[in-house]
Coordinates of all heavy atoms in Angstrom, one line a residue:
T276 N -67.7 32.5 16.4 CA -66.5 33.2 16.2 C -66.0 33.1 14.8 O -65.2 34.0 14.4 CB -65.4 32.6 17.1 OG1 -65.2 31.2 16.9 CG2 -65.7 32.8 18.6
K277 N -66.5 32.2 14.0 CA -66.1 32.1 12.6 C -66.4 33.4 11.8 O -67.6 33.8 11.7 CB -66.7 30.9 11.9 CG -66.1 30.7 10.5 CD -66.5 29.4 10.0 CE -65.9 29.3 8.6 NZ -64.8 28.4 8.4
G278 N -65.4 34.1 11.4 CA -65.6 35.4 10.6 C -66.1 36.5 11.5 O -66.5 37.6 11.0
H279 N -66.0 36.4 12.8 CA -66.5 37.5 13.7 C -65.6 38.7 13.6 O -64.4 38.6 13.3 CB -66.4 36.9 15.1 CG -67.2 37.7 16.1 ND1 -66.7 38.9 16.7 CD2 -68.5 37.6 16.6 CE1 -67.6 39.4 17.5 NE2 -68.7 38.6 17.5
W280 N -66.2 39.9 13.8 CA -65.4 41.1 13.7 C -64.3 41.2 14.8 O -63.3 41.9 14.6 CB -66.3 42.3 13.8 CG -67.1 42.4 15.2 CD1 -68.3 41.9 15.4 CD2 -66.6 43.0 16.4 NE1 -68.6 42.1 16.8 CE2 -67.6 42.8 17.4 CE3 -65.4 43.6 16.7 CZ2 -67.4 43.2 18.7 CZ3 -65.2 44.0 18.1 CH2 -66.3 43.8 19.0
A281 N -64.4 40.4 15.9 CA -63.4 40.5 17.0 C -62.3 39.5 16.9 O -61.5 39.4 17.8 CB -64.1 40.4 18.3
I282 N -62.2 38.8 15.7 CA -61.1 37.9 15.6 C -59.7 38.6 15.7 O -59.6 39.7 15.1 CB -61.2 37.1 14.2 CG1 -62.3 36.2 14.3 CG2 -59.8 36.4 13.9 CD1 -62.6 35.4 13.0
G283 N -58.9 38.1 16.5 CA -57.6 38.7 16.8 C -57.5 39.7 17.9 O -56.5 40.1 18.4
V284 N -58.7 40.0 18.5 CA -58.8 40.9 19.6 C -58.3 40.1 20.8 O -58.6 38.9 21.0 CB -60.2 41.4 19.9 CG1 -60.3 42.2 21.2 CG2 -60.6 42.3 18.7
Q285 N -57.5 40.8 21.7 CA -57.0 40.2 22.9 C -57.5 40.9 24.1 O -57.5 42.1 24.1 CB -55.4 40.3 22.9 CG -54.8 39.5 21.8 CD -53.3 39.6 21.8 OE1 -52.7 40.5 22.3 NE2 -52.6 38.6 21.2
W286 N -58.0 40.1 25.1 CA -58.5 40.6 26.3 C -57.6 40.3 27.5 O -57.3 39.1 27.7 CB -59.9 40.1 26.6 CG -60.9 40.5 25.7 CD1 -61.7 41.6 25.8 CD2 -61.3 39.9 24.4 NE1 -62.6 41.7 24.8 CE2 -62.4 40.7 23.9 CE3 -60.9 38.8 23.8 CZ2 -63.0 40.4 22.7 CZ3 -61.5 38.5 22.5 CH2 -62.5 39.2 22.0
P287 N -57.1 41.3 28.2 CA -56.3 40.9 29.4 C -57.2 40.5 30.5 O -58.3 41.1 30.8 CB -55.7 42.3 29.8 CG -56.6 43.3 29.2 CD -57.2 42.7 28.0
V288 N -56.9 39.4 31.2 CA -57.7 38.8 32.3 C -56.8 38.6 33.5 O -55.7 38.1 33.4 CB -58.3 37.5 31.9 CG1 -59.2 36.9 33.0 CG2 -59.2 37.7 30.6
I289 N -57.3 39.0 34.7 CA -56.5 38.8 35.9 C -57.1 37.6 36.6 O -58.3 37.5 36.8 CB -56.7 40.0 36.9 CG1 -56.2 41.3 36.2 CG2 -55.9 39.8 38.2 CD1 -54.7 41.3 35.8
G290 N -56.3 36.6 36.8 CA -56.7 35.3 37.5 C -57.0 35.5 38.9 O -56.7 36.6 39.5
S291 N -57.6 34.5 39.6 CA -58.0 34.6 41.0 C -56.8 34.8 41.9 O -56.9 35.3 43.0 CB -58.7 33.3 41.4 OG -57.9 32.2 41.1
R292 N -55.6 34.4 41.5 CA -54.4 34.6 42.3 C -53.6 35.9 41.9 O -52.5 36.1 42.3 CB -53.5 33.4 42.2 CG -54.1 32.2 42.7 CD -53.2 31.0 42.7 NE -53.9 29.8 43.0 CZ -53.5 28.6 42.6 NH1 -52.4 28.5 41.9 NH2 -54.3 27.6 42.9
G293 N -54.2 36.7 41.0 CA -53.5 37.9 40.5 C -52.6 37.7 39.3 O -52.0 38.7 38.9
D294 N -52.6 36.5 38.8 CA -51.8 36.3 37.5 C -52.5 36.9 36.4 O -53.7 37.0 36.3 CB -51.6 34.8 37.3 CG -50.9 34.1 38.4 OD1 -50.0 34.7 39.0 OD2 -51.2 32.9 38.7
K295 N -51.7 37.4 35.4 CA -52.2 38.0 34.2 C -52.2 37.0 33.0 O -51.2 36.4 32.8 CB -51.4 39.2 33.8 CG -51.5 40.3 34.9 CD -50.6 41.5 34.5 CE -50.6 42.5 35.7 NZ -49.8 43.7 35.4
Y296 N -53.4 36.9 32.3 CA -53.5 36.1 31.2 C -54.1 36.9 30.0 O -54.6 38.0 30.2 CB -54.5 34.9 31.5 CG -54.0 34.1 32.7 CD1 -54.7 34.2 33.9 CD2 -52.9 33.2 32.5 CE1 -54.2 33.4 35.0 CE2 -52.5 32.4 33.6 CZ -53.2 32.5 34.8 OH -52.7 31.8 35.9
T297 N -54.0 36.3 28.8 CA -54.5 37.0 27.6 C -55.4 36.0 26.9 O -55.0 34.8 26.6 CB -53.4 37.4 26.7 OG1 -52.6 38.3 27.4 CG2 -54.0 38.1 25.5
V298 N -56.7 36.4 26.7 CA -57.6 35.6 26.0 C -57.8 36.2 24.6 O -57.9 37.4 24.4 CB -59.0 35.5 26.7 CG1 -60.1 34.8 25.8 CG2 -58.9 34.9 28.0
T299 N -57.7 35.4 23.5 CA -57.7 35.8 22.2 C -58.8 35.1 21.4 O -58.9 33.9 21.5 CB -56.4 35.6 21.4 OG1 -55.3 36.2 22.2 CG2 -56.4 36.2 20.1
M300 N -59.6 35.8 20.6 CA -60.6 35.2 19.8 C -60.0 34.9 18.4 O -59.2 35.6 17.9 CB -61.8 36.1 19.5 CG -62.9 35.4 18.7 SD -64.2 36.6 18.1 CE -65.2 36.7 19.6
N301 N -60.3 33.7 17.9 CA -59.9 33.3 16.5 C -61.1 32.6 15.8 O -62.2 32.5 16.4 CB -58.7 32.4 16.6 CG -58.9 31.1 17.3 OD1 -59.8 30.4 17.0 ND2 -58.0 30.8 18.2
N302 N -60.9 32.2 14.6 CA -62.0 31.6 13.8 C -62.6 30.4 14.5 O -63.8 30.0 14.2 CB -61.6 31.2 12.4 CG -62.0 32.2 11.4 OD1 -63.0 32.9 11.5 ND2 -61.1 32.4 10.4
Y303 N -61.9 29.7 15.3 CA -62.3 28.4 15.9 C -62.7 28.5 17.4 O -63.1 27.5 18.0 CB -61.2 27.4 15.8 CG -60.7 27.3 14.3 CD1 -59.6 27.9 13.9 CD2 -61.5 26.6 13.4 CE1 -59.2 27.8 12.6 CE2 -61.1 26.5 12.1 CZ -60.0 27.1 11.6 OH -59.6 27.1 10.3
G304 N -62.7 29.7 17.9 CA -63.1 29.9 19.3 C -62.2 30.8 20.0 O -61.8 31.9 19.5
F305 N -61.8 30.5 21.2 CA -60.9 31.3 22.1 C -59.7 30.6 22.5 O -59.7 29.4 22.8 CB -61.7 31.8 23.3 CG -62.8 32.8 23.0 CD1 -64.1 32.3 22.8 CD2 -62.6 34.1 23.0 CE1 -65.1 33.2 22.5 CE2 -63.6 35.0 22.7 CZ -64.9 34.6 22.5
D306 N -58.6 31.3 22.7 CA -57.4 30.8 23.3 C -57.0 31.6 24.5 O -57.4 32.8 24.6 CB -56.2 30.9 22.3 CG -56.2 30.0 21.1 OD1 -56.7 28.9 21.2 OD2 -55.9 30.5 20.0
C307 N -56.4 30.9 25.5 CA -55.9 31.6 26.7 C -54.5 31.2 26.9 O -54.1 30.1 26.6 CB -56.8 31.2 27.9 SG -56.4 32.1 29.4
T308 N -53.7 32.1 27.5 CA -52.3 31.9 27.8 C -52.1 31.1 29.1 O -50.9 30.8 29.4 CB -51.5 33.2 27.9 OG1 -52.1 34.0 28.9 CG2 -51.5 33.9 26.5
C309 N -53.1 30.7 29.8 CA -53.0 29.9 31.0 C -52.7 28.4 30.6 O -52.8 28.1 29.4 CB -54.2 30.0 31.9 SG -55.6 29.0 31.3
V310 N -52.3 27.6 31.5 CA -51.9 26.2 31.3 C -53.1 25.2 31.2 O -52.8 24.1 31.0 CB -50.9 25.8 32.3 CG1 -49.6 26.6 32.2 CG2 -51.5 25.8 33.7
A311 N -54.3 25.7 31.3 CA -55.4 24.7 31.3 C -55.6 24.1 30.0 O -55.4 24.7 28.9 CB -56.7 25.5 31.7
Y312 N -55.9 22.8 30.0 CA -56.2 22.1 28.7 C -57.6 22.1 28.3 O -57.9 21.8 27.2 CB -55.7 20.6 28.9 CG -54.2 20.5 29.0 CD1 -53.6 20.3 30.3 CD2 -53.4 20.7 27.9 CE1 -52.3 20.2 30.4 CE2 -52.0 20.6 28.1 CZ -51.5 20.4 29.3 OH -50.1 20.3 29.4
R313 N -58.5 22.4 29.2 CA -59.9 22.5 28.9 C -60.3 24.0 28.9 O -59.5 24.8 29.2 CB -60.8 21.8 30.0 CG -60.5 20.4 30.1 CD -61.4 19.7 31.2 NE -61.1 18.3 31.2 CZ -61.7 17.5 31.9 NH1 -62.7 17.9 32.7 NH2 -61.4 16.2 31.9
K314 N -61.5 24.3 28.5 CA -61.9 25.7 28.4 C -61.9 26.2 29.9 O -62.5 25.8 30.8 CB -63.4 25.8 27.9 CG -63.8 27.2 27.8 CD -65.2 27.4 27.4 CE -65.5 27.2 26.0 NZ -66.9 27.5 25.6
C315 N -61.0 27.2 30.0 CA -60.8 27.8 31.4 C -61.8 28.9 31.7 O -62.5 29.4 30.9 CB -59.4 28.4 31.4 SG -59.1 29.8 30.3
K316 N -61.7 29.2 33.0 CA -62.6 30.3 33.5 C -62.3 31.6 32.9 O -63.2 32.5 32.8 CB -62.6 30.3 35.0 CG -61.3 30.6 35.6 CD -61.3 30.5 37.1 CE -59.9 30.6 37.7 NZ -59.9 30.4 39.1
H317 N -61.1 31.8 32.4 CA -60.7 33.1 31.8 C -61.5 33.3 30.5 O -62.0 34.4 30.2 CB -59.2 33.2 31.6 CG -58.4 32.7 32.8 ND1 -57.6 31.6 32.8 CD2 -58.4 33.2 34.1 CE1 -57.1 31.5 34.0 NE2 -57.5 32.4 34.8
I318 N -61.5 32.2 29.7 CA -62.3 32.3 28.4 C -63.7 32.5 28.7 O -64.4 33.3 28.1 CB -62.0 31.0 27.6 CG1 -60.6 30.9 27.1 CG2 -63.0 30.9 26.5 CD1 -60.2 29.7 26.4
K319 N -64.3 31.7 29.7 CA -65.7 31.9 30.0 C -66.0 33.3 30.5 O -67.1 33.8 30.1 CB -66.1 30.9 31.1 CG -66.0 29.4 30.6 CD -66.3 28.4 31.7 CE -66.2 27.0 31.2 NZ -66.3 26.0 32.3
Q320 N -65.1 33.9 31.1 CA -65.3 35.3 31.6 C -65.4 36.2 30.4 O -66.3 37.1 30.4 CB -64.1 35.7 32.5 CG -64.2 37.1 33.1 CD -63.0 37.4 34.0 OE1 -62.2 36.5 34.3 NE2 -62.9 38.7 34.3
V321 N -64.6 36.1 29.4 CA -64.7 36.9 28.2 C -65.9 36.6 27.4 O -66.6 37.5 26.9 CB -63.4 36.7 27.3 CG1 -63.6 37.4 26.0 CG2 -62.2 37.3 28.0
E322 N -66.3 35.3 27.2 CA -67.5 34.9 26.5 C -68.7 35.5 27.1 O -69.6 36.0 26.4 CB -67.7 33.4 26.6 CG -66.9 32.6 25.6 CD -67.3 31.1 25.7 OE1 -67.3 30.6 26.9 OE2 -67.6 30.5 24.7
E323 N -68.8 35.5 28.4 CA -70.0 36.1 29.1 C -70.2 37.6 28.8 O -71.3 38.1 28.8 CB -69.9 35.9 30.6 CG -70.1 34.4 31.0 CD -69.8 34.1 32.4 OE1 -69.5 35.1 33.2 OE2 -69.9 32.9 32.8
K324 N -69.1 38.3 28.5 CA -69.2 39.7 28.1 C -70.0 39.8 26.8 O -70.8 40.8 26.6 CB -67.9 40.4 28.0 CG -67.2 40.5 29.4 CD -65.9 41.2 29.2 CE -65.1 41.2 30.5 NZ -65.7 42.0 31.6
F325 N -69.8 38.9 25.9 CA -70.6 38.9 24.7 C -72.0 38.6 24.9 O -72.9 39.2 24.3 CB -70.0 37.9 23.7 CG -68.8 38.4 23.0 CD1 -67.5 38.1 23.5 CD2 -68.9 39.1 21.8 CE1 -66.4 38.5 22.9 CE2 -67.7 39.6 21.2 CZ -66.5 39.3 21.7
D326 N -72.3 37.7 25.8 CA -73.7 37.4 26.2 C -74.4 38.6 26.9 O -75.5 38.8 26.6 CB -73.7 36.1 27.0 CG -75.1 35.5 27.1 OD1 -75.8 35.6 26.1 OD2 -75.4 34.9 28.1
D327 N -73.7 39.2 27.7 CA -74.2 40.4 28.5 C -74.6 41.5 27.6 O -75.6 42.2 27.9 CB -73.2 40.9 29.5 CG -73.0 40.0 30.7 OD1 -73.8 39.0 30.8 OD2 -72.0 40.2 31.4
T328 N -73.9 41.7 26.5 CA -74.2 42.8 25.6 C -75.6 42.7 24.9 O -76.2 43.6 24.5 CB -73.2 43.0 24.5 OG1 -73.1 41.8 23.7 CG2 -71.8 43.3 25.0
C329 N -76.2 41.5 24.9 CA -77.5 41.2 24.3 C -78.6 41.3 25.3 O -79.8 41.3 25.0 CB -77.5 39.8 23.6 SG -76.4 39.7 22.3
D330 N -78.3 41.3 26.6 CA -79.3 41.4 27.7 C -80.1 42.7 27.5 O -79.6 43.7 27.3 CB -78.7 41.4 29.1 CG -78.1 40.0 29.4 OD1 -78.5 39.0 28.7 OD2 -77.4 39.9 30.4
G331 N -81.4 42.5 27.5 CA -82.3 43.6 27.4 C -82.6 44.1 26.0 O -83.3 45.1 25.8

Side-chain angles (χ1 to χ4, degrees):
T276 58
K277 186 167 177 109
H279 196 278
W280 61 266
I282 289 175
V284 174
Q285 297 181 334
W286 291 270
V288 178
I289 304 295
S291 58
R292 296 183 192 157
D294 298 325
K295 296 177 182 179
Y296 302 105
T297 302
V298 174
T299 307
M300 182 190 283
N301 62 53
N302 259 328
Y303 305 103
F305 291 91
D306 290 321
C307 183
T308 56
C309 75
V310 297
Y312 292 103
R313 296 182 181 186
K314 185 187 279 188
C315 64
K316 59 187 174 184
H317 315 116
I318 290 174
K319 291 176 183 177
Q320 184 179 348
V321 170
E322 275 184 312
E323 288 172 2
K324 292 181 185 291
F325 282 92
D326 197 32
D327 289 346
T328 59
C329 294
D330 287 348

